[in-house]
Amino acid sequence: MQRIAYRLKRKDKSHSNPVVSHLPSQSFKRVNRFVPTLFYTAFGTKKPLASKKFAKTKMLVQISSIALLSLPAKSLTTSLFSTDSVAYDKVMASNTLTLASVKGDSTYFATDGFQHGFGYDIARSYANQLGVTLQVQDYANEAQALQAVRQGKADMALTTASTKLTEDTGLSAINISCGFDTTLATNGLHPKTNWAFRSGNDPLAIKASDFLCENGQLINTAKIANFYDQTLLKDDYNREHFEQALTANLPHYKSSFQQQADTYDHDWQLLVAMGYQESHLDANATSPTGVRGLMMLTNNTAKAMGVSDRIDPYQSIGGGARYLEQMKAEFRDVPNPDRLWFALASYNMGPNAVKSIQSKVAKAGQDPKSWTNVYAYMSDHAGSNSRYTQCMHYVTNIRSYLESLKMRTA
């Protein structure tokens, strides 16, 4: 495929000077100014900020080669003036954005009907911007997902398909990180995760490229990638320790997890993930601060949940399940999947602390029911509040353990 230069030009009939045909120059400048601070803001690192000259050069190289991954050059030069809007019109008329995808650690997870994931969350944000509902269609492999878009059965595809496969299917693709591959790779995500469209001329694709490369979304993408970090159980020590606990300890408590989950309407594997995060599934665990048992309940929480013996596995799991139920109720106005992350954050540091963050997010003009916004606030202020760092790790780890458990039993 011919490499696409970012600043493609055309002659406007009413102007003597060439203009950029795809993204407005103003949009380019917004993204360019963002480059020096991206990873400092998103990951809290304190690497020296790049010079403006270096940042501009880096941005030009990345965007020119990757950002609009395989939108044909011809379509880019005519896209703003095209009447080819079949997918966009269909989406807006039906009020539904149909996404063809394949389950994976960089695309989406569907755990007993509970959908979440890195690519899924970004697609959901795009659907929200369009003012439509996101609907996911699951396919066995990437070729099938791409064909669904080609045949008009889906509006766009979320895959990690190669450029060759996408081109062979006759589709146009956009890199979900807008060329910042390290944003994904650092978190163990597939660096070429992309969205594919039937036509690069369709406004659905054009708006998608603008959405993904917009200044604020680049920051959000980095933070969502950070939350969906897949490196935890790719580390040999962590993976072996996790597997050992599941093999040696879980069989003793599996029925208790299942019974208590059924009682309080939870996913039993979610309770297992919480139990591993809390005690590594050790019913006799005790911390220096006095929390005890498989679910590491404080004495006050245990009493409030009716637990008389924190060391008893069945009671401990029941106490944790009951408390999680209460935390979910505290955020009943938050839609899933975000409600679970809110509940887990509250389980860790209390509902009032989470609601305080929500208030600050709302005052900033952002949606307080969005986990991305709450997580971003904690990330931005983690340096001044260690509880935020602990909470972020707590929720992220449990999410990782849950996904691993689901993949084991898939």
Side-chain angles (χ1 to χ4, degrees):
M1 172 187 157
Q2 180 181 357
R3 185 171 295 278
I4 304 167
Y6 178 74
R7 296 182 66 85
L8 292 171
K9 300 179 180 180
R10 66 171 181 82
K11 286 282 187 177
D12 189 285
K13 293 181 180 179
S14 60
H15 298 80
S16 59
N17 296 324
V19 296
V20 178
S21 65
H22 184 63
L23 291 178
S25 59
Q26 183 179 1
S27 297
F28 176 80
K29 291 177 182 176
R30 285 201 308 271
V31 175
N32 190 39
R33 286 200 301 270
F34 167 76
V35 175
T37 58
L38 173 64
F39 296 107
Y40 181 87
T41 303
F43 302 112
T45 58
K46 296 184 179 180
K47 296 179 179 179
L49 299 182
S51 68
K52 292 183 179 180
K53 182 177 181 181
F54 173 79
K56 183 175 181 180
T57 301
K58 178 181 178 183
M59 189 64 185
L60 286 170
V61 171
Q62 288 178 316
I63 294 296
S64 65
S65 61
I66 302 173
L68 301 174
L69 187 60
S70 59
L71 289 177
K74 180 180 179 181
S75 70
L76 282 178
T77 58
T78 60
S79 59
L80 288 179
F81 311 96
S82 172
T83 58
D84 182 4
S85 57
V86 176
Y88 178 76
D89 290 345
K90 175 186 173 185
V91 168
M92 302 312 292
S94 64
N95 198 41
T96 302
L97 176 63
T98 303
L99 180 72
S101 189
V102 180
K103 294 173 186 174
D105 56 12
S106 301
T107 50
Y108 87 107
F109 295 88
T111 54
D112 299 329
F114 181 77
Q115 293 177 329
H116 69 284
F118 169 68
Y120 172 86
D121 275 12
I122 296 179
R124 187 167 55 123
S125 294
Y126 179 46
N128 288 340
Q129 186 183 82
L130 294 175
V132 300
T133 301
L134 181 67
Q135 182 181 73
V136 180
Q137 292 180 350
D138 181 40
Y139 289 88
N141 56 59
E142 293 174 333
Q144 291 180 9
L146 295 175
Q147 280 296 334
V149 175
R150 181 64 182 167
Q151 296 167 4
K153 297 178 181 178
D155 305 309
M156 57 186 272
L158 165 64
T159 72
T160 58
S162 66
T163 302
K164 184 179 186 305
L165 178 57
T166 303
E167 289 180 337
D168 288 348
T169 311
L171 304 183
S172 300
I174 304 172
N175 190 297
I176 203 170
S177 66
C178 193
F180 289 96
D181 292 357
T182 53
T183 301
L184 279 59
T186 300
N187 292 283
L189 298 166
H190 197 295
K192 299 302 181 184
T193 304
N194 63 81
W195 291 348
F197 301 86
R198 187 174 182 182
S199 170
N201 293 336
D202 196 297
L204 190 67
I206 298 168
K207 290 177 181 292
S209 67
D210 290 344
F211 168 80
L212 291 173
C213 296
E214 190 272 329
N215 212 9
Q217 183 55 39
L218 285 169
I219 298 173
N220 286 339
T221 296
K223 290 177 179 176
I224 294 171
N226 188 248
F227 174 60
Y228 282 104
D229 186 355
Q230 298 295 314
T231 63
L232 180 62
L233 292 177
K234 290 181 180 178
D235 174 82
D236 290 341
Y237 175 81
N238 289 331
R239 184 178 64 254
E240 290 172 6
H241 201 287
F242 182 66
E243 293 293 335
Q244 182 180 4
L246 296 184
T247 301
N249 298 354
L250 181 57
H252 300 298
Y253 314 128
K254 183 176 180 178
S255 61
S256 295
F257 277 116
Q258 291 174 327
Q259 291 172 31
Q260 295 289 20
D262 189 55
T263 300
Y264 296 102
D265 194 27
H266 296 309
D267 182 333
W268 74 272
Q269 290 174 314
L270 169 62
L271 296 183
V272 172
M274 293 174 64
Y276 182 77
Q277 171 65 24
E278 295 285 359
S279 68
H280 287 184
L281 301 180
D282 180 1
N284 297 308
T286 302
S287 81
T289 58
V291 293
R292 304 185 67 189
L294 201 151
M295 302 299 281
M296 296 297 275
L297 303 176
T298 65
N299 196 39
N300 289 337
T301 300
K303 288 181 179 178
M305 298 300 106
V307 175
S308 59
D309 183 1
R310 288 184 288 168
I311 300 300
D312 179 86
Y314 186 81
Q315 287 194 47
S316 182
I317 295 170
R322 192 174 303 120
Y323 189 58
L324 180 62
E325 179 188 40
Q326 291 183 7
M327 295 304 97
K328 283 184 177 179
E330 290 280 351
F331 299 95
R332 61 172 60 89
D333 61 329
V334 176
N336 276 320
D338 291 25
R339 185 187 305 164
L340 176 58
W341 314 139
F342 274 80
L344 290 172
S346 300
Y347 190 103
N348 176 257
M349 65 177 182
N352 290 335
V354 176
K355 289 180 179 180
S356 176
I357 295 174
Q358 282 186 293
S359 296
K360 294 170 183 176
V361 166
K363 287 181 181 178
Q366 299 175 319
D367 181 6
K369 298 178 184 178
S370 165
W371 172 248
T372 297
N373 293 339
V374 169
Y375 184 88
Y377 182 91
M378 288 193 287
S379 177
D380 291 341
H381 296 83
S384 60
N385 192 328
S386 60
R387 294 180 68 197
Y388 292 166
T389 300
Q390 181 186 48
C391 182
M392 290 163 60
H393 288 165
Y394 182 83
V395 182
T396 298
N397 287 356
I398 290 175
R399 191 222 79 243
S400 185
Y401 299 141
L402 175 61
E403 290 168 359
S404 182
L405 285 165
K406 291 297 180 183
M407 293 178 72
R408 285 167 58 95
T409 58

